[in-house]
């Protein structure tokens, strides 16, 4: 983590009076009344019947078992997504960090040729993805204030569609860090309300830090301090009356343009937005922040400033979600706040991350989409404690829908992707998104020096497992032994295994009553993927119980590519049988069980593999 410990909160009292006098107090009061109104209720994406969904380009349907699942172009759809990074698709070739940690920042957006998009999208599809999470910037569709131009987005998403990829927009309102082109610092939104005093420009439409009052300050720090400046970014003052109105208009136009498009399946409203966690610990020093806080404090005299920041972000994104749904009631929304910090640091409600995030942010949009990286083993326990409570199936049945949009594809040589994906599916998740495409190649920041890394093959194998089991993954929801439709699985014994971490077997049922078992190691896998204990073979006895007599086909798909298939005969109601499997702490086994006949069939299980 990088930041600025030397930044001190000087507050606004030392600012020139001309800057403070420039604050639109009436405008910020109106914003406060809008965001904190009791009438601001979240608009959920409309959930359809299957019949209704056949006439809607993209939507969520209610399956027979209660799951809210994607339909695209009138057919079931399960997003297997990969996110593009700025460095692999959006920056020219001199945008990279050299071996000494010095940033070489690009001058402009890369003028990407169709041949390049074609290569990237075809490669994503070849790996097994069906969805691209495309990083886009506000400037992409509103290059000039009030001028909306969708030529670029239409063209790129059209190219993706031709390669079998639908698109989820990953929207940036702020200028992300490191190697981002200098042109982004000149975005018109940062100059909506500039005040010049004694030759110093104060940009009231962006968030401030002690040494940051305009984009030039940000650029100077990034260029001068190189890698150490990795958290300094141009953050908009979202609650500034002009910024608030402009974002509202921009989201309205974006949703309006893609309302009838089946190419676009979802909107991530902002990426790592909120308060600039790396600058002054998220304590915005813009006077508009102070004005909003003072209004809030009058109504909440006993609450902390952390509560204010949490409430502000939650209400703001609820409002943005509603803006989308007032135009398009069907395509779901999601977001993530800067750093996903709360989950990563084991902070749960009523505590707060420094950037003001709470779990309520997920209830302000339609889908849970956060960041699963090195310390993310705490994320699902936190979500379970706060969101799902005692009913883990709640993830699948109600809002927010579970669709993580930033699972690390490369950490621990791909084992993080395997394990977090498994924990997502074990809760009935309706999609996964891996970050990011470029990082599965060496020298990905230098666009002309790409070589596939071994983890690319690991991800491809994982996606093949998911594709092979998609019919059961799509409609499955978690069940207990008492609540299972028919078949239930549990771990009997574990052999050849001495460790502090035991495997977990979650059981799900599909709409048709088939069973999916997810055998995995909960948490963030093994912290060291080269650990001998993690890689050791473990022999596990699985106990299968079935309420109905019949012949059952069992398939076990391991994420290392090994597939085993056989049949089991259950002769009596509530009968039981056992079978063994082997796995390691770095792999996941997806076990599907389907009833193939009633009381007739072979007397002996047919063991085989393919």
């Amino acid at each position: 983590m990088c930041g600025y410990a030397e930044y001190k909160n000087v507050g606004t009292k030392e600012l020139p009076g001309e800057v403070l006098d420039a604050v639109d107090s009436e405008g910020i009061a109106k914003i406060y009344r809008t965001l904190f109104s009791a009438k601001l209720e979240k608009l959920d994406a409309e959930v359809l019947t299957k019949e209704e969904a056949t006439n809607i380009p993209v939507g969520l349907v209610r399956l027979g078992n209660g799951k809210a699942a994607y339909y695209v172009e009138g057919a079931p759809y399960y997003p297997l997504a990969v996110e593009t990074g700025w460095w692999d698709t959006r920056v020219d070739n001199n945008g990279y960090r050299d071996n000494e940690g010095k940033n070489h920042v690009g001058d402009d957006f890369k003028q990407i040729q169709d041949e390049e998009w074609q290569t990237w999208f075809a490669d994503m599809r070849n790996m097994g993805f069906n969805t691209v999470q495309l990083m886009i910037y506000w400037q992409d569709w509103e290059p000039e204030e009030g001028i909306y131009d969708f030529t670029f987005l239409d063209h790129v998403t059209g190219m993706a569609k031709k390669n079998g990829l639908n698109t989820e927009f990953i929207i940036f309102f702020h200028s992300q860090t490191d190697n981002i082109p200098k042109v982004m610092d000149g975005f018109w939104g940062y100059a909506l309300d500039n005040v010049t005093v004694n030759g110093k420009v104060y940009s009231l439409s962006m968030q401030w830090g002690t040494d940051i009052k305009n984009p030039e300050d940000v650029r100077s720090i990034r260029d001068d301090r190189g890698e150490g400046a990795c958290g300094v970014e141009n953050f908009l003052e979202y609650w500034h009356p002009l910024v608030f109105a402009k974002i509202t208009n921009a989201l309205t136009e974006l949703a309006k343009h893609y309302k009838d498009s089946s190419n676009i399946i979802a909107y991530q409203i902002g990426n790592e937005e909120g308060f600039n966690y790396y600058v002054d610990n998220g304590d915005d020093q813009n006077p508009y922040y102070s004005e909003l806080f003072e209004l809030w404090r009058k109504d909440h005299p006993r609450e902390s400033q952390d509560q204010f920041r949490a409430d502000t972000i939650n209400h703001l994104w609820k409002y943005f979600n509603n803006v989308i749904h007032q135009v398009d009631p069907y395509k779901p929304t999601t977001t993530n706040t800067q750093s996903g910090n709360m989950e990563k640091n084991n902070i749960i409600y009523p505590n707060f991350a420094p950037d003001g995030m709470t779990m309520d942010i997920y209830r302000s949009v339609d889908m849970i989409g956060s960041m699963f990286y090195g310390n993310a083993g705490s994320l699902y326990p936190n979500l379970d404690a706060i969101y799902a409570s005692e009913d883990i199936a709640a993830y699948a049945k109600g809002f927010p829908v579970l669709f993580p949009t930033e699972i690390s594809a490369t950490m621990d040589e791909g084992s993080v992707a395997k394990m977090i994906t498994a924990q997502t599916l074990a809760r009935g998740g309706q999609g996964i998104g891996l970050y990011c495409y470029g990082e599965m190649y060496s020298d990905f920041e230098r666009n002309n020096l790409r070589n596939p890394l071994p983890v690319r093959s690991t991800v491809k194998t994982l996606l093949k497992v998911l594709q092979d089991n998609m019919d059961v993954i799509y409609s499955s929801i978690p069940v207990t032994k008492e609540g299972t439709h028919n078949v239930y699985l549990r771990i009997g014994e574990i052999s050849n295994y001495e460790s502090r971490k035991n495997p977990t077997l979650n059981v799900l049922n599909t709409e048709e009553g088939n069973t999916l078992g997810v055998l995995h190691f909960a948490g963030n896998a093994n912290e060291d993927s080269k650990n001998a204990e993690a890689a050791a073979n473990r022999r596990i006895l699985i106990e299968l119980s079935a309420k109905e007599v019949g012949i059952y086909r069992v398939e076990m798909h391991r994420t290392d590519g090994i597939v085993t298939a056989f049949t089991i005969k259950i002769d009596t109601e509530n009968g039981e049988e056992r079978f063994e499997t082997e796995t390691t702490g770095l792999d996941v086994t997806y076990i599907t069980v389907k009833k193939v006949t009633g009381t007739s069939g072979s007397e002996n299980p047919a063991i085989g593999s393919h």
Side-chain angles (χ1 to χ4, degrees), residues 110-152:
K110 185 173 182 179
Q111 299 301 307
I112 301 171
Q113 302 298 310
D114 284 356
E115 291 80 6
E116 294 176 280
W117 286 116
Q118 170 64 30
T119 298
W120 299 333
F121 289 148
D123 187 41
M124 293 175 190
R125 184 61 181 175
N126 178 58
M127 289 175 64
F129 294 107
N130 61 14
T131 304
V132 57
Q133 293 169 319
L134 183 68
M135 285 187 173
I136 66 173
Y137 186 50
W138 183 356
Q139 198 170 1
D140 285 335
W141 77 93
E142 192 176 356
E144 299 179 47
E145 182 181 354
I147 305 298
Y148 301 100
D149 185 352
F150 294 93
T151 303
F152 170 72

Side-chain angles (χ1 to χ4, degrees), residues 35 119 122 184 192 292 307 349 375 384 386 430 481 503 538 552 555 569 596:
L35 293 181
T119 298
M184 293 184 70
L192 280 171
L292 190 67
Q307 180 73 57
Y349 189 88
N375 297 322
D384 291 347
I386 295 167
Q430 187 45 49
K481 182 179 181 181
R538 293 87 186 267
Y552 295 85
E555 293 186 2
K569 184 178 181 181
V596 293

Side-chain angles (χ1 to χ4, degrees), residues 546-566:
K547 296 178 179 180
E548 301 173 359
V549 173
I551 304 296
Y552 295 85
R553 179 174 174 81
V554 180
E555 293 186 2
M556 295 188 292
H557 296 246
R558 266 174 46 169
T559 51
D560 62 1
I562 296 176
V563 180
T564 304
F566 52 89

Side-chain angles (χ1 to χ4, degrees), residues 263-282:
N263 294 11
I264 311 305
I265 68 164
Y267 299 94
Q268 180 173 299
I269 308 174
N271 185 81
E272 299 185 36
E273 309 283 350
F275 293 96
N276 197 342
Y277 167 80
Y278 294 114
V279 176
D280 292 322
N281 205 30

Side-chain angles (χ1 to χ4, degrees), residues 213-233:
K213 301 293 189 293
N214 58 53
E216 287 71 24
D217 295 337
V218 173
R219 174 58 60 186
S220 176
I221 292 172
R222 285 206 299 250
D223 288 351
D224 292 347
R225 303 191 186 185
E227 185 176 2
C230 68
V232 183
E233 306 173 359

Side-chain angles (χ1 to χ4, degrees), residues 7-48:
Y7 280 3
K8 304 297 181 184
N9 182 1
V10 298
T12 58
K13 61 181 180 296
E14 298 179 12
L15 292 173
E18 294 91 331
V19 175
L20 297 180
D21 292 342
V23 174
D24 179 4
S25 297
E26 183 178 340
I28 194 67
K30 183 177 180 180
I31 299 299
Y32 175 76
R33 291 192 298 270
T34 298
L35 293 181
F36 291 90
S37 169
K39 296 180 180 179
L40 183 63
E41 297 182 358
K42 190 250 176 179
L43 298 178
D44 291 338
E46 186 173 337
V47 181
L48 308 165

